[in-house]
Amino acid sequence: MPPDSSAANKVTDYEAATSFLGEWGAFQRRVFFLLSLSVVPNGLTAFSIVFLADTPDHRCALPAHLNLSAAWRNSSIPLEEDASRNGALVPSKCSRYKMENLLKYSERGLLPLDVNLSNVPKESCLDGWEFDHSVYTSTIVSEWNLVCDESWKSPLTSSIFFCGVFTGSLISGQLSDRFGRKIVMFATIALQAVSRFIQVFSPSWMVFCALYFIVGMGQVSNYIVAFVLGMEVLGPRIRTVFSTAAVSLFFGVGYMLLPLFAFFITDWRMLLLALMLPSGLCMPLWWFIPESPRWLLSQGRTEEAEAILRNAAEMNNIEPPTVIFSSLQNRVKTEERRPCNICDLLRSPNICWISITLWVIWNTITIAYFALSLNTANLNGNSYFNCFLSALMEMPAYVLSWVMFRWCSRRMSVFSSLSSGGLFLLIIQLIPAHLAALSITFEMLGKFAVSTAFAVVYAYTAELYPTVLRNTAVGACSMASRIGSIIAPFFIYLRTYSVSLPYILMGSLTAVAGLLSLLLPESFGMPLPDTISHMQQFPGCCQKTPNTKDEEKAAEETSLVRRSSHQINQQP
């Protein structure tokens, strides 16, 4: 066999070479559950801003020494129409009647009923605000007065977090492709825990946001790396369960625990401290989770890869073969290995169009997913219950994503979930205002569909890209999607102008992204690609024609090996 063919077959045949381990031994079970467990803190922290930065009911404060009668103190706040409550009259949150006028009326013995209040001049809250403490002891909004003219800082806080997520997505994939999955995963877990602990002592909103940026970097990094590590260590069938259901379900468990934590811990600093602890508890998992043998092999570190596999065989009570990987193939692969980086995602027309299409789809899904998740505090009813309900809707969505990923076309799975999600969100604007329960039902159905699409597209992306670029590619897609998560809080802010406007925009974008997904190549039933040349083809992009007979023969033999490996994986 020509050397080129050996090099091409080397990593492509990884699954056949490691098939002696089986798919569900003690080693695989340990990796499966520990990696899934490491994602629980992500669910706890991803939407913690819903409670950390919730805005309690508030009104302008009145100086305690002011000589106003009780009647005038109770009538010092004008009534205004509230767009979020269908135009109902509610006490103003950002203005009060001018104090000097009220003092004159009070000194003259006039009552509020004796005065036409519509003609009384108004002023801003010059003495600060009084916040309702019946739900929260404190939030960052009540501590730093992020209301009225400063209300823009609340959605900006979320956007700064997602800017950190954007940065983490950019660098974590390249770092883990360069230095290894395991070390980057645990370094970012530690970064997240330490930053959140320091954040507890934030003296100002600016310091809080700076640390929140770093928390965002760590939050996404360990999730992406854990996801890719599981994809590379586990066998084909368990990989499908892990990537579509397990990671997402454990994330959902953390998300469901968040309102429980927030219900019992109503001070934002203590809540931050409680949310930090699960990340710290994940650090001892370092001694139980292995590095990816597939990544080690792609870096030419064959001895380390074989050591991990032999240890896995011992855990599974299996006798490993004497030689797992051919030394000749290892030597050739090491000689031909070229470091890959994020630029490779745009190097050829095929991988370029796949990347751009996925970036647009990821971005749209993220807008809908995070906007709907962050909107739970604005829904009618109890904010804790609404957050729990939003998290609960994700659990069957992740189970459905596994079912779809196990038996259905990847493209049709993404298309059907996105198009149905867009339809549910567009229907909300047609529901009468007094049917609030029906509106919440359709919003939760939209969240269900978008969550399904998110779980499927994560695993779909990992299947489309090769081992040498997989973590970088998933990180790049996550990075591109963070543009959506950065602007998602401001989609919710549009409620101040029109309650239905966010749903119209999200529904339209989601439906269009569903149509765009039909352009992606199909990966259902195919083995994971290990080199860029093994990737599926984007419509209209032709495979590069081999220039020599040796390359042509190598391509034919590579194709034969991939088909044989696929047939082995499909056998019961």
Side-chain angles (χ1 to χ4, degrees):
M1 182 178 291
D4 288 339
S5 179
S6 298
N9 293 345
K10 157 68 179 59
V11 185
T12 302
D13 208 21
Y14 171 86
E15 289 172 3
T18 58
S19 61
F20 67 90
L21 285 175
E23 290 224 28
W24 194 236
F27 173 76
Q28 288 90 344
R29 289 195 295 270
R30 187 175 75 177
V31 171
F32 182 96
F33 287 110
L34 292 185
L35 284 176
S36 299
L37 191 63
S38 72
V39 171
V40 172
N42 294 74
L44 272 168
T45 60
F47 304 110
S48 58
I49 197 67
V50 169
F51 299 105
L52 295 173
D54 197 8
T55 304
D57 287 336
H58 55 279
R59 54 177 285 174
C60 292
L62 301 178
H65 65 276
L66 204 63
N67 188 23
L68 273 181
S69 65
W72 279 109
R73 281 186 175 274
N74 293 333
S75 302
S76 62
I77 307 298
L79 297 178
E80 295 179 348
E81 289 187 358
D82 188 346
S84 64
R85 299 183 182 179
N86 304 315
L89 291 176
V90 297
S92 174
K93 298 178 179 180
C94 300
S95 64
R96 66 187 186 187
Y97 292 118
K98 209 164 186 179
M99 288 297 101
E100 60 184 60
N101 294 75
L102 299 190
L103 282 171
K104 291 178 182 178
Y105 298 143
S106 182
E107 290 171 357
R108 291 165 55 187
L110 297 175
L111 295 174
L113 294 176
D114 301 326
V115 178
N116 185 0
L117 294 177
S118 61
N119 294 327
V120 178
K122 301 174 185 177
E123 62 184 6
S124 60
C125 299
L126 302 178
D127 299 292
W129 290 264
E130 294 177 354
F131 289 91
D132 176 31
H133 296 288
S134 62
V135 179
Y136 302 103
T137 302
S138 69
T139 68
I140 65 170
V141 171
S142 63
E143 176 136 348
W144 294 311
N145 294 328
L146 307 184
V147 293
C148 300
D149 291 340
E150 301 287 305
S151 62
W152 57 272
K153 290 183 178 180
S154 184
L156 182 60
T157 306
S158 299
S159 294
I160 289 172
F161 170 79
F162 290 119
C163 284
V165 173
F166 176 92
T167 306
S169 301
L170 174 64
I171 64 176
S172 64
Q174 296 184 77
L175 288 176
S176 66
D177 279 340
R178 181 66 61 87
F179 300 108
R181 317 310 197 200
K182 180 178 176 179
I183 189 170
V184 174
M185 173 182 164
F186 283 95
T188 52
I189 290 176
L191 176 68
Q192 187 179 178
V194 172
S195 301
R196 193 168 283 280
F197 178 74
I198 299 174
Q199 198 179 21
V200 171
F201 306 98
S202 300
S204 66
W205 176 75
M206 293 288 290
V207 174
F208 178 91
C209 289
L211 291 167
Y212 208 30
F213 177 90
I214 299 174
V215 171
M217 287 179 58
Q219 200 269 348
V220 72
S221 299
N222 84 274
Y223 183 92
I224 292 175
V225 178
F227 178 86
V228 172
L229 180 58
M231 287 284 291
E232 294 182 347
V233 172
L234 300 171
R237 294 187 180 180
I238 305 305
R239 177 194 308 145
T240 299
V241 181
F242 174 82
S243 61
T244 55
V247 173
S248 301
L249 285 171
F250 276 76
F251 177 91
V253 168
Y255 188 8
M256 286 195 295
L257 289 174
L258 172 62
L260 184 66
F261 275 57
F263 181 78
F264 289 104
I265 307 174
T266 57
D267 176 78
W268 71 268
R269 294 182 189 272
M270 293 298 100
L271 179 58
L272 272 179
L273 189 61
L275 296 179
M276 178 274 296
L277 294 177
S279 294
L281 295 176
C282 286
M283 293 306 298
L285 299 181
W286 168 273
W287 287 275
F288 302 97
I289 295 176
E291 181 56 271
S292 166
R294 190 188 288 263
W295 176 82
L296 290 170
L297 195 59
S298 73
Q299 300 298 303
R301 295 160 62 177
T302 311
E303 293 78 9
E304 296 176 61
E306 289 200 357
I308 291 173
L309 294 173
R310 294 186 188 283
N311 180 60
E314 182 180 350
M315 287 185 63
N316 290 355
N317 295 318
I318 294 172
E319 184 66 30
T322 305
V323 177
I324 299 177
F325 304 112
S326 167
S327 59
L328 174 61
Q329 291 176 335
N330 294 338
R331 179 179 59 80
V332 174
K333 185 64 182 177
T334 301
E335 290 172 357
E336 296 197 351
R337 179 169 51 86
R338 179 183 68 83
C340 293
N341 55 54
I342 196 169
C343 295
D344 287 293
L345 298 177
L346 300 172
R347 196 171 298 278
S348 68
N350 181 57
I351 195 171
C352 177
W353 281 112
I354 290 175
S355 298
I356 291 174
T357 304
L358 283 171
W359 292 345
V360 173
I361 292 172
W362 274 65
N363 191 50
T364 305
I365 293 176
T366 306
I367 289 174
Y369 177 80
F370 283 99
L372 291 173
S373 299
L374 295 173
N375 191 46
T376 53
N378 297 319
L379 299 178
N380 292 322
N382 185 282
S383 59
Y384 299 107
F385 177 75
N386 288 334
C387 181
F388 178 80
L389 183 61
S390 178
L392 185 63
M393 289 302 297
E394 295 191 14
M395 307 305 274
Y398 296 143
V399 174
L400 176 61
S401 70
W402 169 74
V403 172
M404 297 174 76
F405 212 77
R406 180 69 179 85
W407 285 287
C408 302
S409 159
R410 308 302 191 232
R411 282 185 299 193
M412 292 308 299
S413 297
V414 176
F415 168 73
S416 59
S417 53
L418 283 178
S419 57
S420 60
L423 179 63
F424 290 138
L425 295 178
L426 288 172
I427 289 175
I428 294 175
Q429 63 176 316
L430 306 176
I431 300 175
H434 65 279
L435 298 178
L438 187 59
S439 295
I440 293 176
T441 300
F442 273 94
E443 179 161 345
M444 292 303 158
L445 287 174
K447 176 71 182 299
F448 172 85
V450 170
S451 299
T452 303
F454 215 155
V456 172
V457 82
Y458 242 107
Y460 188 16
T461 300
E463 282 190 344
L464 288 175
Y465 286 100
T467 299
V468 293
L469 269 175
R470 186 168 296 116
N471 213 137
T472 296
V474 175
C477 287
S478 179
M479 176 191 69
S481 74
R482 298 314 155 188
I483 298 172
S485 60
I486 289 169
I487 65 176
F490 292 96
F491 268 69
I492 303 306
Y493 194 67
L494 293 174
R495 287 175 56 92
T496 57
Y497 303 101
S498 172
V499 175
S500 60
L501 184 57
Y503 301 113
I504 295 172
L505 292 175
M506 287 188 290
S508 302
L509 290 172
T510 304
V512 171
L515 293 173
L516 192 61
S517 68
L518 296 175
L519 295 175
L520 291 170
E522 185 56 67
S523 63
F524 178 54
M526 298 296 294
L528 287 179
D530 289 290
T531 63
I532 294 176
S533 62
H534 294 158
M535 291 181 65
Q536 302 297 315
Q537 296 300 301
F538 191 87
C541 295
C542 299
Q543 184 84 9
K544 185 176 179 181
T545 304
N547 296 322
T548 67
K549 292 183 178 180
D550 283 345
E551 290 176 350
E552 186 174 6
K553 184 178 179 182
E556 291 174 354
E557 292 177 350
T558 298
S559 178
L560 177 61
V561 170
R562 288 166 62 80
R563 287 196 299 268
S564 299
S565 177
H566 171 53
Q567 292 170 358
I568 291 171
N569 292 335
Q570 293 286 36
Q571 292 175 359

